[in-house]
């Protein structure tokens, strides 16, 4: 590995353990809305805050704001100010965020194959 490759890698707290890559990746995406936000940005490309909030659905402005800030701190999301009056901000995925595409789509596909939709569970109970 070159110095350039090493400088482009994300820091982890558990280096050297065989389970570390799984735990570190889970900690990056472990909050409820993080994978959903990454998924929406993968599918829809860069979006403004309100557009992303509508596309995610069911998330409060505060939780979305906190989640975007956390994803930005974790180097998965870029925040770009597009205009200052009125302030308009676009959110997009960094290279690290984009590299999660196969993982996020595998999570979606696994869920579609193995999980019952809430409506199906409600019908089964009735």
């Amino acid at each position: 590995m070159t110095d350039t490759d090493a400088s482009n890698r994300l820091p982890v707290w558990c280096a050297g353990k065989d389970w570390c890559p799984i735990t570190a990746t889970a900690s990056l995406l472990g909050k409820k809305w993080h994978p959903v936000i990454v998924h929406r940005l993968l599918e829809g490309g860069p979006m403004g805050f309100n557009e992303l909030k509508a596309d995610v659905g069911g998330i409060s402005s505060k939780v979305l704001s906190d989640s975007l800030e956390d994803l930005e701190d974790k180097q998965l999301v870029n925040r770009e100010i597009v205009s200052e009056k009125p302030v308009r901000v676009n959110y997009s995925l960094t290279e690290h965020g984009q590299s999660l595409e196969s993982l996020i789509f595998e999570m979606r596909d696994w869920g579609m194959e193995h999980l019952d939709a809430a409506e199906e569970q409600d019908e089964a109970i009735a």
Side-chain angles (χ1 to χ4, degrees):
M1 180 182 329
T2 67
D3 289 337
T4 305
D5 293 336
S7 67
N8 194 28
R9 296 171 65 89
L10 298 173
V12 297
W13 52 268
C14 59
K17 306 289 186 187
D18 62 347
W19 47 262
C20 179
I22 296 166
T23 304
T25 302
S27 73
L28 290 172
L29 292 172
K31 293 190 178 174
K32 175 180 178 178
W33 293 104
H34 285 43
V36 177
I37 293 166
V38 171
H39 177 258
R40 295 307 192 266
L41 291 172
L42 282 166
E43 287 201 327
M47 291 185 211
F49 184 88
N50 290 331
E51 181 183 5
L52 186 56
K53 184 175 184 293
D55 201 23
V56 169
I59 189 171
S60 71
S61 294
K62 168 120 176 71
V63 171
L64 178 58
S65 179
D66 290 347
S67 296
L68 287 167
E69 186 176 323
D70 192 38
L71 288 166
E72 186 180 7
D73 289 345
K74 292 177 176 176
Q75 302 175 37
L76 299 177
V77 168
N78 281 321
R79 180 180 185 273
E80 177 188 6
I81 297 174
V82 178
S83 65
E84 295 194 21
K85 291 189 181 180
V87 173
R88 176 157 160 65
V89 176
N90 262 358
Y91 295 91
S92 61
L93 295 173
T94 64
E95 285 184 41
H96 288 297
Q98 290 171 1
S99 72
L100 292 167
E101 181 175 10
S102 62
L103 176 63
I104 295 293
F105 288 154
E106 283 292 323
M107 289 171 66
R108 177 204 59 200
D109 294 347
W110 187 92
M112 290 173 67
E113 182 177 343
H114 296 283
L115 302 175
D116 286 333
E119 303 85 42
E120 293 173 17
Q121 290 177 6
D122 290 343
E123 290 172 10
I125 294 171

